[in-house]
């Protein structure tokens, strides 16, 4: 089976999905309602295809296992109704074939929907740009950081890494976009801004001396305070690197995240050259 690789710069919208509670509640209402309706109308109005709605909802929102489970319940009840309404003396072969085809149809439908959702999730994960904030994705940032650390180590050129954390609050939706816009206003033209996770952003500062990095940390602190006041308590840390020590991208990022501080709102730590692990 061929692999799926999205284009490098493709911004991908997040897939639609119900929340866990809403999805479970809707399934608990929808499936029994269809069963009750079919039992009421009998053979006058077949509802076989309507069962594909809860099957597809379960597979899309909760994955393979739940999709197959709901498909099994739905197809089982359809077979039960067919058996109850089967005319006396009717042949067994047509009933067996109908039962088998019903199960296979529902299972195949659940598989296709869940598989498609998985492909969409992979595409979103591998996208170069984070869809909520407009910043670079974690995968793209890891690639750029590794490249810049190698360049700095080879040519003994300065660089810096800043990490901004939104504390206990998840920076989603409009908040993520506002944080990214604020940080982007503090960075230089050649610098890179990325979103590491739901609460954390990072700035890769190319050709940046330790003093410049320290001044940028001050600008970030002041910009965040002006924009968000007491709405969000940020932690800000910054690490400088000049290629003298054999540090890796992972070590730099770990040190920057470990140095985060949230005392008294947004704070910045003075640059520190990482030592080899």
């Amino acid at each position: 089976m061929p692999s799926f690789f999205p284009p490098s710069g493709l911004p991908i919208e997040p897939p639609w999905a119900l929340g866990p509670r809403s999805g479970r509640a809707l399934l608990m209402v929808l499936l029994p309602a269809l069963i009750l309706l079919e039992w009421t109308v009998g053979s006058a109005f077949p509802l076989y295809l309507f069962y594909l709605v809860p099957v597809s909802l379960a597979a899309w929102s909760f994955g393979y296992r739940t999709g197959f489970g709901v498909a099994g319940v739905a197809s089982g009840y359809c077979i039960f109704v067919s058996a109850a309404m089967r005319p006396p003396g009717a042949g067994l072969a047509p009933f067996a074939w109908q039962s088998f085809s019903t199960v296979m149809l529902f299972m195949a439908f659940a598989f296709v929907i869940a598989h498609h959702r998985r492909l969409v999730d992979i595409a979103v994960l591998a996208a170069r740009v984070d869809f909520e904030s407009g910043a670079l994705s974690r995968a793209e940032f890891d690639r750029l950081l590794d490249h810049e650390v190698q360049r700095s180590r080879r040519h003994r050129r300065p660089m810096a890494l800043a990490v901004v954390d939104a504390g206990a609050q998840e920076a989603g939706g409009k908040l993520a976009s506002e944080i990214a816009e604020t940080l982007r206003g503090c960075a230089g033209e050649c610098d890179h801004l990325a979103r590491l996770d739901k609460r954390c952003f990072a700035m890769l500062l190319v050709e940046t001396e330790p003093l410049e990095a320290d001044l940028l940390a001050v600008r970030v602190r002041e910009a965040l305070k002006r924009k968000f006041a007491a709405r969000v308590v940020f932690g800000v840390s910054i690490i400088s690197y000049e290629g003298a020590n054999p540090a890796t991208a992972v070590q730099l990022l770990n040190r920057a995240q470990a140095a985060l501080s949230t005392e008294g709102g947004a704070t910045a730590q003075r640059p520190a050259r990482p030592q080899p692990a």
Side-chain angles (χ1 to χ4, degrees):
M1 180 174 140
S3 300
F4 175 74
F5 295 100
S8 175
L10 177 64
I12 300 175
E13 292 295 324
W16 174 87
L18 289 171
R21 291 185 179 179
S22 302
R24 284 193 293 267
L26 185 56
L27 283 174
M28 291 178 64
V29 171
L30 188 57
L31 192 57
L34 283 172
I35 292 175
L36 180 61
L37 181 60
E38 183 163 17
W39 182 261
T40 303
V41 300
S43 59
F45 187 63
L47 299 175
Y48 278 58
L49 293 181
F50 286 89
Y51 283 99
L52 294 178
V53 175
V55 171
S56 58
L57 174 65
W60 180 262
S61 299
F62 301 105
Y64 291 102
R65 291 187 178 180
T66 305
F68 288 148
V70 174
V73 172
S75 59
Y77 186 75
C78 288
I79 294 173
F80 170 76
V81 171
S82 297
M85 297 181 177
R86 183 164 161 256
L92 185 61
F95 172 73
W97 171 250
Q98 181 183 5
S99 301
F100 175 77
S101 61
T102 299
V103 173
M104 290 298 101
L105 173 65
F106 282 33
M107 292 296 179
F109 204 83
F111 174 81
V112 170
I113 295 294
H115 187 68
H116 180 70
R117 173 59 190 271
R118 182 172 176 270
L119 287 178
V120 172
D121 288 339
I122 291 173
V124 170
L125 184 63
R128 183 176 182 270
V129 178
D130 175 66
F131 59 83
E132 283 188 326
S133 65
L136 295 176
S137 67
R138 174 63 185 266
E140 179 67 9
F141 181 76
D142 288 343
R143 185 187 69 80
L144 290 173
L145 178 60
D146 185 65
H147 173 79
E148 186 60 27
V149 169
Q150 291 183 37
R151 190 190 69 85
S152 176
R153 192 165 56 239
R154 179 176 181 180
H155 301 289
R156 295 294 190 268
R157 300 302 303 166
M159 58 161 285
L161 174 64
V163 175
V164 178
D165 190 280
Q169 181 171 343
E170 287 195 359
K174 184 179 179 182
L175 179 59
S177 178
E178 290 178 345
I179 295 174
E181 182 181 358
T182 303
L183 296 178
R184 198 175 287 113
C186 299
E189 291 183 359
C190 297
D191 299 332
H192 304 286
L193 173 66
R195 188 182 187 190
L196 301 182
D197 55 37
K198 290 291 186 182
R199 300 183 296 112
C200 200
F201 289 78
M203 300 169 68
L204 175 56
L205 311 174
V206 180
E207 293 289 333
T208 302
E209 300 284 352
L211 181 58
E212 295 178 76
D214 207 16
L215 293 175
L216 181 131
V218 174
R219 291 203 305 272
V220 168
R221 179 188 67 230
E222 293 176 349
L224 290 172
K225 281 186 175 181
R226 284 196 306 269
K227 179 69 175 180
F228 300 98
R231 270 201 300 156
V232 185
V233 178
F234 289 96
V236 181
S237 70
I238 193 159
I239 296 291
S240 292
Y241 182 62
E242 295 175 322
N245 298 314
T248 65
V250 174
Q251 289 172 343
L252 285 179
L253 187 56
N254 288 342
R255 286 175 183 270
Q257 290 180 314
L260 283 170
S261 173
T262 56
E263 297 178 4
T267 63
Q269 297 203 357
R270 294 189 61 83
R273 294 179 180 83
Q275 299 298 319

